Structures are given as structure tokens and as C-alpha cells.
Amino acid sequence: MTVHSNNHNPFSIAQQQIKACADILGLDAGVREILLHPMRELHVSFPVRMDDGSTKVFQGFRVQYNDARGPAKGGIRFHPDETIDTVRALAAWMTWKCSLLDLPLGGGKGGVVCNPKEFSSSELERISRAYIRAVSQFIGPERDVPAPDVYTNPQIMAWMADEYSSIIGTHQFGVITGKPLPLGGSAGRADATARGGMFTLREAAREIGLDLSKATMAVQGYGNAGSYAASLAESMFGSKVLAVCDSSGAIVCQDGLCLLALQQHKSKTFSVLYCVGTECMSNGELLEMDVDVLVLAALEGVVTEQNADKIKAKIVVELANGPTSPEADEILYRKGIHVIPDFLCNAGGVTVSYFEMVQNAYMYYWDEEDVREKLDKKMTRAYHEVLATSRKYQINMRKAAYVLAVERVVEAMKLRGWI
């Protein structure tokens, strides 16, 4: 299991960000203490029978960071390097994300320490069901609603929803979002994270006077969100994607990548490397390319004080959670680079998950056009609220997003009599 250095421990970063926000808002010590720690967390170990008849024990987590504004909401990751501090940080960011988008939800996150690529479909199903059995008393439609995250998908959510329904004894598909459409999923969920990010990119480009139809882009992390971001930037704005990378490495084509060919290549080889008409480069070189827009769509901690000064993009689009360290934030701000912070930029996923909860609750489902229109309205409003707060306090966009989000959570805690 990866051990993060203190400087790049994701939860330490999340706490640093809260402290900086608390200073701006002048919050007292008691309020700070509540905001700096999860309200609840569950650690579980559960056995799973493998296809060869052996039994393997898995470690899992579920963290409910703050639920002052409503039930906890947040994804479940299957990742070999999962740690409790990563889950804590992600649960904190989900709290601020839901608040920032003015959703009636708190923040949660979960994870299982495993590499899903090593398991068969039947083994993944047993892992998914066993995890839900282990946390079933901790979640529920009015308590904590999980969703997909890194290396989990609609099929895994379907198994989890079915297992929870079996435990409760009634149909409880509202316990999970990101489900397949036949089981109460929402239209427009698949590309919601990337599409929401593209709505904020559109507004940011207008703000700095960048013509996206002539803009160049590099995408760090060509997974679900990153691949959707690349194709949406091309189809919505006419932007040219020059480079992408995944865990195997990075590729570049100065004339612009053929995204259709790239998708076909990756589906066959499970890697972006050696796609026809491209050259290989390092992931570090991709981050430092002279492009208009840099999309960060991989894992946390990729832009640090060591490489931030080498970033040349005009706009940084943070589709990943926690890709930029606090020290790097200040460097980018001084350089005049417009950063669309993670829990604003990637909030499209949780927003459409919230729409899915609403649709599940009253058993009526919207079409994709309705979902996209509602998502655009939510993301655009949130972007401009953050921008106005940034100007008001003369602070960077991330600190402005924190100020807005934390203010709303603190208000809810006061109204409930917690503080």
C-alpha cells in the first residue's frame, strides 16, 4: 500500500485547505475542529471466495465527513493503493462539492483495497456484494448514498444496489447512484463529470477571452472523465487535443489527435501508447506542454511546487480530485493561470447523481436533454458564484470555492444547533 509523504498526504492537503478557508472566514476554534475531521468512519475486513476456491480477505472503508446539509454522498473506489487518508480527503471534498453546488447533501466516500484488473467478473461481483454487506448498517437512501468512482462502474453499482435491497427486503435502488438505466439510473450520467467540467471551461474561457474554437488542449489521465473531456471539447467547442496520457505513458500529435482512432486503439490495446500517427512522451512533459488548456483527469497530487512553475496552460481544468498541492496553487495563481478547482470543476458527476436520487424518489425519469440543461444551469451558476467570491476577497478560485462551500456548511451547523 502506498504511504504518502506528509506534504502529499491527500488528507493533510484537504486540512490545509480548510485551515486557509477558516482564516479567511474568521471561524472560531470549535468550528474549525468540527470541519477538520470526519464525523464518522467505518473500517471493514471481509472474506471473499475466489474462483479457485481460496478465500481472500479485503480491507474497505466508508467515511461520512459532514452531513449537516443532508445525507452523505460519495463514490466507492476499488484501487490497490487505497488508503484511509485518501478516503477521508475525498469525503471532505465531497462535502464542499455538494455544498458549493447547493445540493441538499453531505460528503462521504468509500473504498476497497484491491486491483479489480486481477479479478474475474464473478469475483468482482462477490467483492462488491461482500463490501455492501459489511457497510449496510452505515448507508441508506436517507443516510449515505454511494456512487461509482475509480475502477467501479454501473454494473458494480447494480450488484451493490441489489445486495442492499436483498438485505433490507424491499426494492432500495435509491441507495446507490450511477446505476444502469433499467435499474433507475439517470440519463446523462455517463459523461456528467466531464460535461460539467466543460461547462465551467466555457465560462472560464469567456472570462479570460480565450477562443475555444482555436484552443489547444492536453489531457492528463485518459480514463473515463479524461476521454469524455477530450471528445466533448472537440464536439462542443472545436478545440484541438494535442496530447493525452494514461498509466502506461503519454502520446502527442502536434496536428491534433484523431480521437476516434485513439478510442479504437485503446479499446484494443488498453493503452494510449503507439497509437498510429503519434509520438511518445513522458507524463511530466505533457503537463508542461505549451497548450491553452490543461485537463487534469488522473489521480491526486500531480501538480506540486516542483513542477507548477513549468505549467504553461492558460486554464487548468481539474477533473480529478486533489491534483494540485496548496503550494502549487499559489504558484499558478501568481503566474496568472486560471485554475478551475476540482470540487467545482468535477461536480457534474455528483450533480447528476443528485438528479438520479430525485428521479428515484418520485419514480419519474427525465430525458438526456433535460438532464444536460439542468446540469448546465447548476454548473454555470456555481462557477460565477466562485468567480465573484474570488474577486471579492482577492483570493484564488480554490480558496473562493472553499469560502462559499464552508460558509454554507457552517450555516447549516448553526441552524441545527451544533455550534
Side-chain angles (χ1 to χ4, degrees):
M1 187 181 294
T2 298
V3 177
H4 297 275
S5 70
N6 192 51
N7 286 339
H8 302 300
N9 178 312
F11 189 48
S12 294
I13 290 173
Q15 289 179 316
Q16 279 180 257
Q17 292 164 338
I18 295 166
K19 288 174 183 175
C21 173
D23 288 341
I24 294 167
L25 291 171
L27 300 179
D28 66 38
V31 177
R32 289 171 187 244
E33 198 64 21
I34 294 173
L35 297 176
L36 283 170
H37 303 285
M39 301 192 92
R40 296 173 212 91
E41 60 182 53
L42 179 66
H43 297 232
V44 296
S45 297
F46 52 91
V48 176
R49 185 66 54 85
M50 297 289 102
D51 288 346
D52 64 3
S54 65
T55 297
K56 185 172 176 61
V57 177
F58 293 87
Q59 309 299 315
F61 314 104
R62 188 70 190 172
V63 172
Q64 295 165 359
Y65 198 85
N66 187 298
D67 59 5
R69 287 175 54 87
K73 187 82 190 77
I76 297 169
R77 291 180 163 199
F78 285 1
H79 198 279
D81 296 331
E82 195 61 86
T83 69
I84 184 58
D85 275 338
T86 301
V87 177
R88 288 170 178 150
L90 292 165
W93 288 323
M94 282 299 301
T95 303
W96 319 132
K97 189 184 301 186
C98 291
S99 176
L100 187 65
L101 271 290
D102 204 18
L103 308 179
L105 300 169
K109 210 73 176 186
V112 177
V113 183
C114 71
N115 184 355
K117 297 177 182 178
E118 296 176 351
F119 304 116
S120 68
S121 177
S122 59
E123 287 171 334
L124 273 178
E125 179 176 355
R126 291 195 289 275
I127 293 167
S128 302
R129 291 180 182 275
Y131 173 76
I132 286 298
R133 287 196 299 273
V135 303
S136 61
Q137 300 304 308
F138 206 62
I139 63 172
E142 296 175 345
R143 179 182 295 175
D144 182 359
V145 180
D149 203 283
V150 175
Y151 294 138
T152 55
N153 56 34
Q155 177 60 75
I156 288 173
M157 296 304 105
W159 290 327
M160 289 182 173
D162 180 72
E163 187 66 24
Y164 184 83
S165 296
S166 297
I167 292 166
I168 300 300
T170 59
H171 289 293
Q172 294 283 333
F173 291 134
V175 70
I176 296 273
T177 61
K179 304 181 295 295
L181 287 175
L183 296 184
S186 175
R189 179 62 183 88
D191 68 358
T193 300
R195 189 174 291 275
M198 291 303 100
F199 290 145
T200 63
L201 171 60
R202 179 194 64 206
E203 299 306 307
R206 288 173 180 165
E207 173 61 24
I208 71 166
L210 175 65
D211 183 352
L212 286 175
S213 69
K214 299 175 182 175
T216 55
M217 176 181 285
V219 179
Q220 189 261 344
Y222 199 69
N224 185 56
S227 59
Y228 274 125
S231 60
L232 287 170
E234 185 179 77
S235 63
M236 291 171 66
F237 313 129
S239 302
K240 185 184 290 186
V241 181
L242 302 187
V244 302
C245 74
D246 60 15
S247 58
S248 63
I251 57 170
V252 60
C253 177
Q254 293 298 338
D255 293 329
L257 296 167
C258 174
L259 297 180
L260 178 59
L262 177 58
Q263 285 283 54
Q264 292 171 341
H265 174 80
K266 177 148 187 176
S267 67
K268 289 178 183 176
T269 67
F270 305 104
S271 165
V272 299
L273 290 182
Y274 311 116
C275 182
V276 65
T278 68
E279 298 176 13
C280 294
M281 65 191 308
S282 73
N283 289 359
E285 288 173 319
L286 180 145
L287 291 171
E288 298 166 14
M289 283 182 66
D290 188 7
V291 290
D292 297 308
V293 179
L294 173 63
V295 176
L296 302 177
L299 295 176
E300 51 281 325
V302 295
V303 179
T304 66
E305 56 190 321
Q306 278 75 43
N307 62 3
D309 201 44
K310 299 173 185 175
I311 303 293
K312 301 180 183 69
K314 297 179 179 70
I315 299 175
V316 173
V317 177
E318 292 190 343
L319 283 179
N321 288 304
T324 306
S325 73
E327 296 81 8
D329 251 342
E330 293 305 317
I331 295 169
L332 297 178
Y333 186 54
R334 288 198 302 269
K335 282 168 63 76
I337 295 173
H338 190 85
V339 177
I340 309 173
D342 50 3
F343 70 96
L344 166 62
C345 185
N346 65 26
V350 71
T351 302
V352 175
S353 278
Y354 164 65
F355 294 163
E356 184 174 331
M357 291 174 67
V358 172
Q359 293 169 86
N360 289 160
Y362 76 113
M363 300 289 283
Y364 181 82
Y365 292 84
W366 309 327
D367 61 30
E368 196 159 2
E369 187 178 343
D370 285 337
V371 171
R372 290 177 179 174
E373 183 181 321
K374 288 176 170 63
L375 176 61
D376 191 349
K377 186 175 180 180
K378 277 280 191 188
M379 298 299 298
T380 300
R381 177 182 174 182
Y383 173 85
H384 286 288
E385 287 176 337
V386 173
L387 183 65
T389 305
S390 171
R391 288 171 172 164
K392 175 182 175 182
Y393 288 96
Q394 290 296 295
I395 53 179
N396 67 39
M397 290 285 283
R398 189 182 321 278
K399 287 180 180 176
Y402 265 93
V403 166
L404 261 179
V406 171
E407 270 187 322
R408 289 171 179 167
V409 172
V410 170
E411 180 187 24
M413 292 196 299
K414 284 180 179 175
L415 290 169
R416 295 179 72 144
W418 294 3
I419 55 177

